Amino acid sequence: MSDEEKAGTKTPRRRGRRRTDYKKTASDGAHAPVVQTSIRTEPIRVTLDLKPAQHRELKRWCNGAAAELDLSAVALAPVLRLLGEELVRNPELAETIKAELRRQAAELH
């Protein structure tokens, strides 16, 4: 406690008021708080760490695709986004990826 608080010249800090008193339990007659759900519309950022060789290979692929499609550039982010979309749409690709995940998991154990 500061000297000001001891002397009564300073107002003590108040803690913020909780919206829900979690100390009350259902046996006290309290109901669970109602939480309003919302639909997220903003994109969610995902970070991916690649080995330098993986990054180089992917960038080479993007550059080749740009030349083949007669585009000035093909960025890596939209390619990875499209791969994710294809993964959830294409059962054959999904099985191929799962088989590779199983193989990698078996190597770790």
Side-chain angles (χ1 to χ4, degrees):
M1 187 178 275
S2 71
D3 291 334
E4 292 173 323
E5 289 174 325
K6 289 176 187 172
T9 58
K10 185 176 179 184
T11 309
R13 287 186 179 171
R14 284 196 230 167
R15 288 187 175 172
R17 182 173 92 58
R18 286 188 175 165
R19 293 178 183 230
T20 305
D21 186 359
Y22 293 105
K23 292 178 185 173
K24 288 187 177 181
T25 62
S27 62
D28 296 335
H31 297 285
V34 176
V35 178
Q36 208 171 36
T37 58
S38 61
I39 297 172
R40 185 177 179 133
T41 58
E42 294 294 315
I44 299 169
R45 180 167 297 279
V46 176
T47 303
L48 175 66
D49 294 323
L50 298 172
K51 293 178 183 174
Q54 292 172 312
H55 184 260
R56 199 170 31 256
E57 289 173 16
L58 286 169
K59 289 303 286 181
R60 233 181 244 136
W61 186 92
C62 290
N63 292 336
E68 189 178 319
L69 298 170
D70 198 27
L71 298 171
S72 60
V74 170
L76 185 54
V79 170
L80 295 175
R81 212 173 284 119
L82 288 168
L83 279 170
E85 290 173 9
E86 188 64 24
L87 177 63
V88 297
R89 266 197 318 250
N90 183 333
E92 288 179 35
L93 178 59
E95 287 305 316
T96 300
I97 298 300
K98 284 189 254 183
E100 181 61 22
L101 290 170
R102 276 187 213 99
R103 187 190 68 72
Q104 289 180 7
E107 284 180 5
L108 294 175
H109 296 302

